Amino acid sequence: MNLSVLDTYFGWREPAHRIDCRRPAWTVDIREDEGFRPSYGRALSKHDCADEDCDHSSRYTRKTVRVVCRCCHAARVISGEAGGDFQTSTRTVGFGEEPRKVAGLLLWPGEIWFDDEPHEWLVTGRDVERVERTDLMGQISEGRGPRGGKQYSAVALPTPDGPYGFGKYRWARAEKGFKALAAAAKWIAEQNDKGAESK
């Protein structure tokens, strides 16, 4: 999927259970069948598409995902044209893996890259079960040094108008050239301690 570590953990939302649900748990099923594009009273004809290589008609492969809670009876049905779908593991996508415990912090992995390891981690404190923006203490990214060896860069102290990062994820401090993941995590812990002292 090629998601950044921030996109791996943020921008998703879990379907809501009903307020009185005593045992919140989802049953998820996937179905593929043939769908038909609406014809609005006309005969079904070749699908008019701007792509000159498009050869599909008004029929298409539809994928439907059904998400149901058997306790509170909440249900979601998501349906659309079947696209890229593949089975993989939490290790590959990052989300769902246990975080690493380093320097008194939790490091939440992003997607696996070339060397069968994540190349990015979100950093939070120890008492976090599912990462929320308010939990963020920093982010670590793997890169390569001048001789091709692994190096890590880190950002710390999420700040809306910070000088580092882009978009809605900005940071007050950044450092690069760490030789080990643990060293980058330790630096983030120190920056957050200093940030707490200055408040």
Side-chain angles (χ1 to χ4, degrees):
M1 290 191 328
N2 296 326
L3 294 177
S4 73
V5 72
L6 290 163
D7 291 335
T8 297
Y9 289 90
F10 302 126
W12 303 83
R13 57 188 165 88
E14 184 178 357
H17 290 270
R18 295 196 174 150
I19 294 172
D20 60 344
C21 188
R22 293 186 308 275
R23 290 178 313 222
W26 294 112
T27 299
V28 180
D29 296 296
I30 300 173
R31 171 192 173 103
E32 282 190 15
D33 61 1
E34 189 173 42
F36 296 92
R37 297 181 201 290
S39 63
Y40 303 107
R42 296 175 306 211
L44 292 176
S45 61
K46 183 174 178 356
H47 172 59
D48 187 19
C49 184
D51 184 352
E52 63 186 35
D53 296 323
C54 177
D55 63 356
H56 62 274
S57 66
S58 292
R59 297 173 187 219
Y60 64 96
T61 302
R62 176 177 51 211
K63 181 170 292 185
T64 305
V65 179
R66 179 180 61 198
V67 183
V68 174
C69 177
R70 295 180 188 272
C71 178
C72 70
H73 304 284
R76 291 288 297 263
V77 178
I78 305 157
S79 184
E81 188 167 351
D85 182 9
F86 58 94
Q87 184 162 342
T88 186
S89 68
T90 57
R91 177 164 163 63
T92 301
V93 298
F95 186 83
E97 285 290 288
E98 289 294 317
R100 294 182 189 182
K101 296 174 183 171
V102 180
L105 303 173
L106 295 178
L107 277 57
W108 301 83
E111 291 185 351
I112 295 290
W113 269 43
F114 303 114
D115 59 358
D116 204 34
E117 288 289 326
H119 73 287
E120 293 181 299
W121 295 263
L122 291 183
V123 181
T124 69
R126 290 300 277 269
D127 296 324
V128 173
E129 290 183 25
R130 182 174 173 139
V131 183
E132 302 290 341
R133 282 190 70 169
T134 54
D135 301 319
L136 277 182
M137 297 174 72
Q139 179 181 336
I140 300 172
S141 299
E142 178 186 315
R144 298 286 177 228
R147 295 185 180 168
K150 281 187 184 182
Q151 282 191 348
Y152 299 90
S153 58
V155 289
L157 299 174
T159 308
D161 57 352
Y164 305 102
F166 57 90
K168 56 186 171 184
Y169 301 101
R170 310 287 301 177
W171 307 90
R173 300 195 183 132
E175 190 63 55
K176 60 184 178 178
F178 297 103
K179 303 287 187 223
L181 188 63
K186 184 176 179 186
W187 179 83
I188 290 172
E190 291 168 356
Q191 301 312 303
N192 279 275
D193 288 346
K194 289 177 189 175
E197 289 170 8
S198 66
K199 287 184 180 178

